[in-house]
Amino acid sequence: MPVVPSHIYQPKDVETCFRETRSKAITMLRNTFNMSYSQAEDIYQDSCLAMYQNIKRGMLDIKKMTSSLSTYLITVCFRQASKSFRNVTHLEDISAPEFQESKIDSLLNDTYLKKESVELMWQIVHELPDPCGSILWYYYGKNLSMAEIAPKINFNGADSVKAKKSNCLSRLKKFYKDQLSTILHDNED
Amino acid sequence: MKTNESDKYIEFDAKLDKYLRGEMTEEEEKEFKSLLESNSDLQERASITALMIRTMRKEDVQQNKQMIEDISSMSESEFRRVAGLKPKFQIWRKIYAYAAAACIAAILFCGGYFVSQQSMQPRLANALAGEYIAYVNLDQMITRGGDAAVELEAISKAIQDGAELPQVIEKLTEMHEEALGEYASDYEQYVDQIDWLLSMAYLRNGELKSPKPYLKGIIDRSPNSELAVQAKSLLSQL
């Protein structure tokens, strides 16, 4: 079985992360705030430095971070841009809101917090076959929208991805339940 | 039948996403929770999805942690390089910037001065002509008589009026050459007056440099004359 597709979730160094975030942030700022390239670049630069200062001062608590560093940086860019362009408030347009830890907690009872359950899920998500692997990692791991995922996996639009994602979740659920019951049964023996 | 079941899950997954992202109203959330309580299949689906998200998110957290550690150990200049930011505006760059600005200002100032001088030149020349033209004693020339004197009187009037100056300059230049030529000429006796009028014509025409050799000629030829005194005074102002 294949592991997590490397093109989706390969470990990144800081340089790669910033290189990818830079073009994304500048494009989003220009499209949202209708600003020039140099204005967007200045805002990106100020935001990077603000983030750097926060990290140096220990103000960025990794445990409380609910998004990737890239998403966090883009959020800072939008806040900076909103300050400069006060008449425009598009913070909600940055990207889909992140999944909230408190909501995730509310759905996990003791069964799903067991060591075996957690380890099994880790193994399964790292061995998902495509296209389910790509869809689920892009959607839940990288917080991309269905429309963004479609061209990446050669699907015909967001609705196709939505239907396939649901199907993938059904298969994952079945596989997970079967595997977990086997493990728990073996442990009982 | 299967399609209906698929649709049911698609619809539920959309609700689940909305719940997990905190986008539901209080009412919707209440409704969603009662749906979970009444349907164990959907309850399991929601829990497994939540566990999957948490597992995937651990990758992000791990990666964030590593990157934050890397960044916190960097100096600002190192961070700027890695993040692809412009280098800090260092003091020597500031000095260069100020020096460049000063050079540009100097060029603009000198250029402006030169341009203003250029634009002032005709006005100054004209003013000098107006001031000095009266010094040629035309009455004395006429007293000496001759066609040349009449000609010079007409030219003097044309200069005062500022009429046909290029032609006047051309004519006076011919007269000057004839007066100083090898052959005898009626203009010989008026060579200082011709040079003086030629200087005036040039000034009237807005030229400050052209009169200089003619004024020097007057001074050299007739150093004690009243015209030479005026020529020296005028030369000092050109």
Side-chain angles (χ1 to χ4, degrees):
Chain A
M1 270 203 237
V3 293
V4 183
S6 61
H7 63 281
I8 300 172
Y9 221 96
Q10 58 187 346
K12 283 180 203 163
D13 57 15
V14 181
E15 205 163 344
T16 310
C17 174
F18 278 100
R19 194 170 49 246
E20 287 176 5
T21 309
R22 181 194 180 86
S23 59
K24 191 175 176 184
I26 288 175
T27 306
M28 287 171 82
L29 285 170
R30 292 191 70 193
N31 291 343
T32 309
F33 294 94
N34 196 25
M35 60 175 67
S36 68
Y37 185 86
S38 66
Q39 282 176 315
E41 202 177 37
D42 285 348
I43 284 172
Y44 173 76
Q45 174 131 342
D46 290 347
S47 305
C48 282
L49 290 172
M51 190 184 79
Y52 171 75
Q53 297 297 343
N54 283 347
I55 291 173
K56 284 298 250 188
R57 290 175 194 146
M59 289 164 69
L60 203 66
D61 189 349
I62 184 73
K63 287 173 190 163
K64 289 180 184 171
M65 273 187 79
T66 57
S67 62
S68 67
L69 206 59
S70 172
T71 307
Y72 172 79
L73 179 55
I74 290 172
T75 309
V76 177
C77 285
F78 270 66
R79 290 211 177 106
Q80 295 267 13
S82 295
K83 280 182 200 166
S84 309
F85 296 74
R86 287 185 186 280
N87 53 334
V88 189
T89 49
H90 282 284
L91 278 176
E92 68 278 12
D93 294 336
I94 300 170
S95 59
E98 298 279 344
F99 297 105
Q100 296 181 357
E101 283 298 310
S102 60
K103 302 290 184 197
I104 292 173
D105 282 342
S106 72
L107 295 174
L108 297 174
N109 60 30
D110 289 346
T111 311
Y112 299 100
L113 296 174
K114 280 182 183 169
K115 193 184 166 198
E116 296 89 341
S117 305
V118 174
E119 283 178 354
L120 175 64
M121 183 55 84
W122 191 91
Q123 192 185 348
I124 291 173
V125 296
H126 283 81
E127 292 176 353
L128 285 167
D130 265 339
C132 288
S134 294
I135 292 172
L136 297 179
W137 274 98
Y138 276 136
Y139 189 79
Y140 294 107
K142 296 194 81 178
N143 205 31
L144 297 189
S145 69
M146 309 279 189
E148 286 173 309
I149 296 169
K152 286 182 184 290
I153 55 169
N154 297 320
F155 266 46
N156 193 21
D159 285 342
S160 309
V161 179
K162 194 176 179 179
K164 188 66 189 171
K165 179 180 79 92
S166 217
N167 176 260
C168 291
L169 280 176
S170 299
R171 288 169 61 189
L172 183 138
K173 183 192 156 209
K174 184 175 183 310
F175 187 70
Y176 176 83
K177 270 183 73 180
D178 291 349
Q179 292 291 308
L180 186 63
S181 65
T182 307
I183 292 167
L184 293 176
H185 182 73
D186 289 350
N187 284 353
E188 277 172 17
D189 290 345
Chain B
M1 194 64 192
K2 198 171 181 184
T3 309
N4 283 345
E5 198 175 316
S6 298
D7 288 347
K8 185 187 83 178
Y9 285 130
I10 290 170
E11 195 186 329
F12 174 77
D13 290 339
K15 279 184 187 169
L16 178 59
D17 283 352
K18 206 174 168 186
Y19 171 78
L20 288 168
R21 292 181 200 274
E23 292 182 309
M24 280 186 168
T25 61
E26 211 172 308
E27 191 61 35
E28 285 172 330
E29 204 168 302
K30 209 172 165 185
E31 205 177 297
F32 179 73
K33 281 180 178 170
S34 62
L35 173 68
L36 295 184
E37 280 167 18
S38 63
N39 189 324
S40 61
D41 175 47
L42 295 181
Q43 169 77 65
E44 266 182 349
R45 191 180 180 92
S47 297
I48 290 169
T49 305
L51 181 60
M52 180 196 66
I53 295 170
R54 171 156 292 172
T55 308
M56 288 175 166
R57 294 290 299 274
K58 274 188 184 163
E59 298 281 345
D60 250 348
V61 171
Q62 196 53 41
Q63 199 165 62
N64 277 355
K65 195 179 169 191
Q66 187 55 52
M67 282 201 279
I68 287 170
E69 276 172 14
D70 291 347
I71 291 170
S72 64
S73 67
M74 289 176 188
S75 66
E76 189 177 322
S77 58
E78 202 180 348
F79 172 74
R80 282 174 182 272
R81 185 188 59 75
V82 167
L85 308 181
K86 292 173 200 161
K88 199 175 182 181
F89 202 54
Q90 290 164 342
I91 188 71
W92 61 269
R93 282 174 186 266
K94 231 176 203 177
I95 291 166
Y96 276 136
Y98 283 129
C103 286
I104 291 166
I107 289 165
L108 288 174
F109 177 77
C110 293
Y113 179 75
F114 180 73
V115 168
S116 73
Q117 286 299 302
Q118 290 290 316
S119 64
M120 278 178 65
Q121 199 168 307
R123 280 190 290 169
L124 177 64
N126 229 317
L128 286 170
E131 189 183 338
Y132 282 90
I133 200 161
Y135 285 104
V136 174
N137 193 337
L138 291 170
D139 288 344
Q140 198 180 357
M141 281 195 270
I142 290 163
T143 307
R144 284 186 202 166
D147 293 339
V150 175
E151 221 175 342
L152 285 174
E153 190 184 6
I155 286 172
S156 175
K157 196 169 181 316
I159 295 168
Q160 283 183 52
D161 294 343
E164 296 176 331
L165 289 170
Q167 290 89 330
V168 167
I169 289 167
E170 195 181 340
K171 177 66 185 169
L172 284 167
T173 307
E174 282 172 15
M175 290 165 85
H176 165 87
E177 284 167 4
E178 207 176 312
L180 295 176
E182 288 179 37
Y183 305 103
S185 162
D186 287 348
Y187 300 131
E188 253 183 78
Q189 57 181 321
Y190 298 119
V191 65
D192 288 347
Q193 284 80 3
I194 289 168
D195 281 2
W196 180 257
L197 286 174
L198 189 53
S199 301
M200 293 302 112
Y202 275 126
L203 290 176
R204 261 281 190 252
N205 205 36
E207 297 173 55
L208 277 173
K209 285 183 184 173
S210 305
K212 285 182 180 177
Y214 300 102
L215 294 171
K216 281 176 187 166
I218 295 169
I219 296 163
D220 291 344
R221 280 189 306 267
S222 319
N224 300 319
S225 68
E226 194 192 339
L227 214 51
V229 175
Q230 297 303 326
K232 279 181 193 170
S233 166
L234 179 56
L235 258 181
S236 69
Q237 295 183 64
L238 297 180

